[in-house]
């Protein structure tokens, strides 16, 4: 006969065991439940965000184009410490709308005519969502073969589409500044037979880099970083439409050689930042070839136009150059950052940057391309995905149509300026940037005119209706109207023109 107490104990043990199992199972379930809750929550907010994103795209014109906040206005609204306890997405998202949005300048507004555009497009944004989700670090082939191989294929697509020689190789850099730095460094290493990388600058201190007075500040920056020195960046004067003068380039190089300098690199601009001036590449390339100087072509903004066959003559002579960069993240509807960099001698580039510590060795080294050896950063975002989406979504024809349309709009605006008695074109339009100023007929004093135009610009931007920026051309304060935002249409240009005339009348 069983002892009832023992039975009771057994029952109790059973109860405890059951309870224990119950707790463990439930604990596990709860863990799962939490995980599900997380993805459920993510899904909920992701949908909310997508709705917000689509609304933003629809209503972007309701915001002031240029943010109207004062310095520190955003900064002072943000807490002084990392919150100790985590917060929910809803609270953070509300603060995003309340605090951050007023401090945003709306680059995606079709009334944005400042600087150069930094366009996005729906296919690019969708691809960026996937890129963010995958969170791939594409430094080596092994760390995500698709990242490297899609990038290689995209470079082949662009090479053919924009007329880069077939034997060049492409890679995506984070910015044109990095690409130009890569060129200067590669030129330096090639010229010093890779000794500066090895032993430093000993005995190689008299390098010279040449560009026009109009070229981008990234060249000076690159020369500084590469140890060439800002003083050894020789700025060649330009002609009446701001193109580098090859005769003066030739003369300066000869003088420099006579004075014991080593010409290292020439940078030709296809579309300068101030006025989209186009340096005569073919003539410059002949000089580079004659003196065996690395020639880098900076087409950061205007490079997109090479997708249109009738503009490909702009890079006539490219086969004599050594490297080329252009930014799809400017005009080509692809989110920042994405710079396409082509180089004639891939080995020179890789020899300059390659580094192989033990922890980065893989079994495919030497068989595949490891893009971490093609530029400054080790880590690389999966940037080719958005390019693939954009290229496929619009197709070459769609892209050409959009670019042509922007050029037509710029032509329309240029015509208005030329026909007006109160406004003057400063330089002829090359692509889709119109450089002009307000010039009442009775006024010719340049200082007064400059002050007037500066005032006009501030007045225009303070309306929040449009946003323009300026440059100086031969001391003339010049308004720049860059017409290339993804969604810009005729009505935006007409509205802008009316507003410019109206504000100009107000200030005289
Ligand atoms: C915008 C621009 C650059 C710099 O581009 P990042 O990608 O921002 O470094 C360089 N050169 C020219 C001609 C540009 O217009």
């Amino acid at each position: 006969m069983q002892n009832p107490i023992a039975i009771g104990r057994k029952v109790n043990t059973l109860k405890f065991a059951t309870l224990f199992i119950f707790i463990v199972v439930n604990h596990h379930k709860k863990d799962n439940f939490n995980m599900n809750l997380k993805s459920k929550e993510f899904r909920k907010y992701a949908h909310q965000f997508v709705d917000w994103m689509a609304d933003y795209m629809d209503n972007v014109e309701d915001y002031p184009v240029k943010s109207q906040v004062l310095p520190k206005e955003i900064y002072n609204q943000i807490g002084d410490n990392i919150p100790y306890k985590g917060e929910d997405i809803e609270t953070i998202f509300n603060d995003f709308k309340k605090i951050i949005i007023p401090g945003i300048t709306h680059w995606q507004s079709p009334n944005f005519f400042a600087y150069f555009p930094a366009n996005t497009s729906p296919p690019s944004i969708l691809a960026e969502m996937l890129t963010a989700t995958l969170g791939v670090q594409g430094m080596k082939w092994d760390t995500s073969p698709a990242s490297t191989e899609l990038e290689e294929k995209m470079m082949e697509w662009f090479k053919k589409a924009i007329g880069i020689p077939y034997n060049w190789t492409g890679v995506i850099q984070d910015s044109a500044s990095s690409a130009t730095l890569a060129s200067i460094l590669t030129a330096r290493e090639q010229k010093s037979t890779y000794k500066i990388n090895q032993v430093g600058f000993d005995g190689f201190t008299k390098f010279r880099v040449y560009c026009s007075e109009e070229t981008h500040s990234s060249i000076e920056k690159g020369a500084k970083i590469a140890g060439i020195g800002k003083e050894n960046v020789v700025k060649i004067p330009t002609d009446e439409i701001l193109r580098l003068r090859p005769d003066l380039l030739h003369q300066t190089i000869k003088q420099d050689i006579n004075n014991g300098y080593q010409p290292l690199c020439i940078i030709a601009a296809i579309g300068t930042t101030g006025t989209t001036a186009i340096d005569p590449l073919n003539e410059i390339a002949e000089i580079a070839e004659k003196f065996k100087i690395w020639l880098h072509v900076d087409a950061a903004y205007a490079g997109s136009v090479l997708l249109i066959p009738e503009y490909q003559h702009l890079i006539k002579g490219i086969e004599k150059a050594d490297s080329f960069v252009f930014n799809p993240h400017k005009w080509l509807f692809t989110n920042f950052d994405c710079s396409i960099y082509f180089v004639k001698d891939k080995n020179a580039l890789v020899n300059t940057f390659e580094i192989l510590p033990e922890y980065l060795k893989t079994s495919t080294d030497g068989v595949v391309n490891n893009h971490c050896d093609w530029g400054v950063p080790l880590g690389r975002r999966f940037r080719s995905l958005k390019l693939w989406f954009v290229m496929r979504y619009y197709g070459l024809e769609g892209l050409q149509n959009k670019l042509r349309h922007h050029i037509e709009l710029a032509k329309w605006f240029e015509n208005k300026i030329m026909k007006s008695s109160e406004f003057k074109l400063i330089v002829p339009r090359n692509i889709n940037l119109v450089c002009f100023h307000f010039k009442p007929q009775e006024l010719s004093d340049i200082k007064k005119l400059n002050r007037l135009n500066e005032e006009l610009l501030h007045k225009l931007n303070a309306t929040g209706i449009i946003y323009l920026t300026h440059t100086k051309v031969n001391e003339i304060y010049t308004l720049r109207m860059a017409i290339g935002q993804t969604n810009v249409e005729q009505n935006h240009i007409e509205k802008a023109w009316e507003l410019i005339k109206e504000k100009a009348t107000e200030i005289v």
Side-chain angles (χ1 to χ4, degrees):
M1 210 183 116
Q2 293 235 334
N3 183 338
I5 296 170
I7 292 172
R9 249 192 232 130
K10 254 191 191 159
V11 170
N12 272 341
T13 314
L14 208 71
K15 265 193 196 158
F16 275 123
T18 317
L19 188 66
F20 182 72
I21 289 166
F22 178 81
I23 289 169
V24 168
V25 166
N26 266 300
H27 185 73
H28 226 78
K29 255 199 195 153
K30 196 154 175 266
D31 244 21
N32 266 329
F33 189 62
N34 262 336
M35 293 274 289
N36 286 334
L37 191 68
K38 274 184 196 158
S39 93
K40 217 163 126 186
E41 215 185 343
F42 176 82
R43 201 178 296 277
K44 182 181 119 190
Y45 287 117
H47 284 295
Q48 266 187 34
F49 280 24
V50 168
D51 283 338
W52 184 90
M53 288 155 76
D55 287 345
Y56 178 76
M57 290 177 191
D58 286 345
N59 304 323
V60 67
E61 289 187 62
D62 296 345
Y63 299 92
V65 192
K66 183 179 193 292
S67 170
Q68 309 280 315
V69 299
L70 297 171
K72 290 284 177 193
E73 208 173 307
I74 307 301
Y75 181 89
N76 288 336
Q77 291 182 73
I78 298 167
D80 292 331
N81 295 297
I82 301 174
Y84 188 67
K85 292 228 185 270
E87 300 175 89
D88 54 35
I89 297 291
E90 187 144 342
T91 314
I92 307 167
F93 187 42
N94 283 337
D95 281 348
F96 163 79
K97 290 184 273 190
K98 197 177 96 212
I99 302 171
I100 303 300
I101 288 295
I104 292 297
T105 287
H106 298 277
W107 287 70
Q108 304 315 317
S109 165
N111 302 308
F112 183 99
F113 306 108
Y115 305 104
F116 283 136
N119 284 338
T120 67
S121 63
S124 173
I125 295 167
L126 291 171
E128 283 285 62
M129 287 163 73
L130 301 181
T131 302
T133 306
L134 296 173
V136 158
Q137 220 283 32
M139 55 189 175
K140 302 201 71 170
W141 181 89
D142 274 61
T143 62
S144 261
S147 173
T148 300
E149 294 192 7
L150 184 61
E151 186 165 330
E152 288 170 345
K153 191 61 96 172
M154 290 305 98
M155 296 305 95
E156 293 303 308
W157 281 13
F158 272 96
K159 197 162 81 180
K160 282 187 231 163
I162 68 176
I164 298 293
Y166 73 95
N167 56 344
W168 289 33
T169 316
V171 63
I172 301 178
Q173 304 278 354
D174 56 11
S175 63
S177 304
S178 293
T180 297
L181 173 63
S183 284
I184 296 174
L185 288 169
T186 310
R188 186 194 80 183
E189 285 314 297
Q190 207 183 44
K191 193 63 103 188
S192 72
T193 55
Y194 304 92
K195 286 209 179 75
I196 295 178
N197 265 354
Q198 209 60 40
V199 299
F201 260 100
D202 199 21
F204 299 100
T205 50
K206 298 193 101 184
F207 289 131
R208 290 283 215 197
V209 171
Y210 307 87
C211 59
S212 91
E213 285 170 344
E214 290 292 315
T215 37
H216 192 263
S217 53
S218 56
I219 288 137
E220 207 164 278
K221 201 185 212 177
K224 279 174 17 178
I225 300 167
I228 310 300
K230 183 173 148 176
E231 287 181 7
N232 291 313
V233 177
V234 185
K235 300 208 173 149
I236 308 295
T238 54
D239 65 13
E240 68 290 351
I241 51 169
L242 308 177
R243 300 174 301 191
L244 183 145
R245 280 184 52 186
D247 57 329
L248 295 180
L249 175 68
H250 190 265
Q251 193 183 316
T252 311
I253 290 172
K254 272 190 11 199
Q255 273 167 8
D256 276 356
I257 293 172
N258 287 339
N259 291 331
Y261 287 104
Q262 276 235 47
L264 181 69
C265 181
I266 303 169
I267 289 117
I270 302 299
T272 57
T273 311
T275 66
T276 60
I278 293 165
D279 290 339
L281 182 60
N282 198 39
E283 287 168 74
I284 296 172
E286 276 162 14
I287 298 169
E289 205 169 42
K290 176 173 169 191
F291 292 102
K292 298 195 167 46
I293 306 172
W294 185 286
L295 174 57
H296 174 57
V297 180
D298 177 5
Y301 174 66
S304 298
V305 87
L306 301 172
L307 286 172
I308 307 175
E310 59 269 29
Y311 282 89
Q312 286 180 0
H313 68 90
L314 296 181
I315 55 164
K316 187 168 177 280
I318 187 73
E319 71 288 347
K320 296 190 273 284
D322 296 278
S323 55
F324 171 94
V325 65
F326 105 91
N327 286 351
H329 71 228
K330 277 181 170 162
W331 192 11
L332 209 58
F333 323 113
T334 304
N335 277 68
F336 189 84
D337 52 342
C338 185
S339 290
I340 293 185
Y341 180 62
F342 287 108
V343 62
K344 183 189 268 170
D345 183 355
K346 161 195 149 182
N347 292 331
L349 177 73
V350 175
N351 284 343
T352 300
F353 288 102
E354 193 173 38
I355 211 147
L356 197 58
E358 194 53 43
Y359 52 81
L360 286 179
K361 285 184 183 156
T362 57
S363 59
T364 51
D365 291 337
V367 181
V368 296
N369 286 326
N370 291 315
H371 283 148
C372 60
D373 294 331
W374 296 52
V376 175
L378 170 67
R380 311 183 81 249
R381 269 159 46 73
F382 187 3
R383 301 188 191 92
S384 54
L385 193 69
K386 58 192 169 190
L387 263 182
W388 191 45
F389 269 60
V390 171
M391 295 308 111
R392 291 183 66 182
Y393 179 77
Y394 291 106
L396 190 55
E397 183 189 53
L399 293 168
Q400 289 169 343
N401 288 344
K402 242 172 141 44
L403 300 176
R404 282 196 178 107
H405 181 48
H406 293 165
I407 296 168
E408 284 304 312
L409 295 177
K411 229 180 246 178
W412 184 92
F413 187 82
E414 181 194 34
N415 257 315
K416 289 288 171 196
I417 297 289
M418 288 198 301
K419 284 196 190 131
S420 155
S421 54
E422 305 257 87
F423 290 88
K424 279 223 144 44
L425 210 60
I426 304 289
V427 283
R429 175 192 55 84
N430 275 326
I431 301 166
N432 58 342
L433 173 73
V434 184
C435 297
F436 67 102
H437 74 164
F438 174 45
K439 192 190 169 305
Q441 276 164 335
E442 66 282 2
L443 210 66
S444 55
D445 180 69
I446 185 72
K447 279 205 179 108
K448 279 189 190 149
L449 272 175
N450 284 357
R451 242 180 286 126
L452 204 64
N453 276 277
E454 196 174 344
E455 194 188 335
L456 174 60
L457 183 78
H458 292 314
K459 261 196 179 297
L460 286 167
N461 293 341
T463 63
I465 299 171
I466 61 174
Y467 182 24
L468 268 76
T469 49
H470 82 282
T471 187
K472 275 227 170 126
V473 177
N474 301 324
E475 296 310 307
I476 301 174
Y477 193 96
T478 302
L479 306 183
R480 295 169 73 263
M481 180 90 176
I483 303 176
Q485 205 284 325
T486 309
N487 300 307
V488 66
E489 290 297 341
Q490 179 73 28
N491 65 306
H492 301 110
I493 308 303
E494 284 175 16
K495 191 176 67 184
W497 174 230
E498 290 309 316
L499 190 71
I500 292 166
K501 283 190 295 186
E502 181 193 317
K503 291 291 154 192
T505 336
E506 276 177 30
I507 58 170
V508 279

